[in-house]
Amino acid sequence: MFAAAAMLAGIVMLIRGGNWTIDSAVYVARHLGISPLIVGFTIVAFGTSLPELIVSVLANLRGSAGIAIGNVVGSNIANILMVIGATATVATLKVHAKGIYKDLVMMLLCTVLLAGLLFYGAVGQIVGVSMIVLLVVYVFYQFTMARRGEVPLEPVEEHEYKSMGAALGFLLIGLLAIALGAEFLVRGAKVSAGIIGVPEAVIALSIIAFGTSLPELATCIIAGRKGHGDLILGNIIGSNVFNILMIIGVTAAVKPIAAGSFAPQLANFDIWVAAAVSVIFAGLLFMRKKITKPVGYLFMAGYVVYNIYIYMIYVVG
């Protein structure tokens, strides 16, 4: 009963937090002359990646590196198949800002980097710090390009706040509500899964990954209904980059991820699913410049199939 109540509270906080985050982020973007794409890639992506960061760092400190790795890999898969899929069924996602293509390349390169690290089998502190530095440099580059006007503004309807301070306040409250809501939801789901007896790897790849991706789902569906296409794409692409560089980077910087501390299937199978999904997602945006409703349904079906398959691999054997 407590677990169910925690999950319900988490869902409510995610929805409210998603509304506040989107409205305030768009307001801040317009009044600072920054594209919603950039805000989605940075502020919103960072905020919606906070649950993954908290879960992964704590898991690694407690000797469960498999949860940390599985959380990131599973979240990146969920972000594209579940979040983009579900959002595309609400509104067609079209590319407006040309800067998104650089971000897609960055996402693919980060995925390749993670695959290489998992193949190597360990992530040391120096590598972790280097990943954080790389992220900071790229975010700085993003803001520089935005200030130069190389990323055009997307015409969107914005929520009116009395002042910039009020907008920033609601942005902070929204991000906190998202982080706390996801934490409630993940804890409730994890307790329920533990009672059933599901292995750690499956919990990380499915339940925890799903739970920590709910902030992205909440913000993206709300943004989709309000017509903020670039904010959605920037949020997901940025979240996947943040998940790899920030979460794996900070996790390894706090405590190195040792060889043999995570399930071999993560390096042999799941990371390649994440890579394939990322390539398909990027390919659709490069060639068709949009994600339509039929593609959205296919993505969601693919996510269900993936979860069934990993259950068969890890549990059934």
Side-chain angles (χ1 to χ4, degrees):
M1 291 177 63
F2 281 115
M7 289 189 284
L8 179 60
I11 292 172
V12 173
M13 294 178 72
L14 285 172
I15 294 173
R16 295 299 300 170
N19 264 309
W20 291 330
T21 300
I22 292 301
D23 288 339
S24 56
V26 171
Y27 179 92
V28 171
R30 302 297 292 178
H31 284 261
L32 292 180
I34 300 174
S35 166
L37 171 67
I38 304 300
V39 175
F41 188 94
T42 55
I43 299 173
V44 180
F46 174 79
T48 54
S49 291
L50 280 177
E52 285 96 332
L53 177 62
I54 296 170
V55 170
S56 295
V57 171
L58 291 178
N60 192 39
L61 285 174
R62 294 168 182 169
S64 298
I67 288 182
I69 299 293
N71 183 25
V72 170
V73 174
S75 291
N76 280 18
I77 294 172
N79 280 349
I80 295 175
L81 293 184
M82 180 186 70
V83 178
I84 289 294
T87 307
T89 64
V90 174
T92 297
L93 303 179
K94 297 181 180 180
V95 176
H96 295 97
K98 294 181 180 179
I100 196 172
Y101 299 115
K102 297 177 183 178
D103 298 334
L104 283 170
V105 172
M106 182 65 174
M107 181 187 72
L108 294 174
L109 290 175
C110 289
T111 304
V112 171
L113 171 63
L114 180 58
L117 291 173
L118 294 186
F119 179 79
Y120 175 72
V123 185
Q125 287 182 312
I126 295 178
V127 174
V129 172
S130 300
M131 294 171 76
I132 298 171
V133 171
L134 176 59
L135 177 62
V136 171
V137 170
Y138 190 73
V139 169
F140 179 77
Y141 165 78
Q142 287 282 67
F143 276 106
T144 301
M145 293 299 100
R147 299 303 297 178
R148 290 179 181 176
E150 296 189 18
V151 180
L153 288 173
E154 177 190 6
V156 295
E157 176 186 356
E158 67 179 52
H159 183 86
E160 285 298 330
Y161 290 95
K162 292 183 178 179
S163 65
M164 177 64 75
L168 291 173
F170 271 97
L171 178 61
L172 178 60
I173 293 171
L175 292 175
L176 288 175
I178 287 172
L180 289 174
E183 181 67 11
F184 276 122
L185 190 60
V186 169
R187 283 183 179 273
K190 187 175 180 181
V191 169
S192 300
I195 294 173
I196 299 173
V198 179
E200 179 182 280
V202 176
I203 293 175
L205 286 165
S206 57
I207 297 175
I208 294 179
F210 175 85
T212 54
S213 290
L214 280 173
E216 286 87 348
L217 180 62
T219 54
C220 285
I221 288 180
I222 293 167
R225 290 176 176 172
K226 297 181 179 182
H228 306 323
D230 280 347
L231 185 65
I232 295 168
L233 295 172
N235 181 16
I236 292 304
I237 297 169
S239 181
N240 281 15
V241 171
F242 270 70
N243 282 350
I244 295 173
L245 295 183
M246 180 181 73
I247 295 175
I248 297 297
V250 172
T251 300
V254 173
K255 178 184 177 182
I257 299 175
S261 60
F262 54 87
Q265 288 91 337
L266 288 170
N268 298 332
F269 174 72
D270 298 297
I271 185 59
W272 301 112
V273 173
V277 166
S278 298
V279 169
I280 293 171
F281 174 55
L284 286 170
L285 293 182
F286 270 110
M287 294 185 292
R288 300 186 62 190
K289 302 185 186 303
K290 62 182 179 180
I291 305 292
T292 59
K293 183 177 291 188
V295 174
Y297 283 120
L298 285 174
F299 274 13
M300 293 176 69
Y303 187 67
V304 173
V305 170
Y306 168 72
N307 277 276
I308 293 174
Y309 187 71
I310 62 172
Y311 176 81
M312 294 173 63
I313 289 179
Y314 287 96
V315 180
V316 179

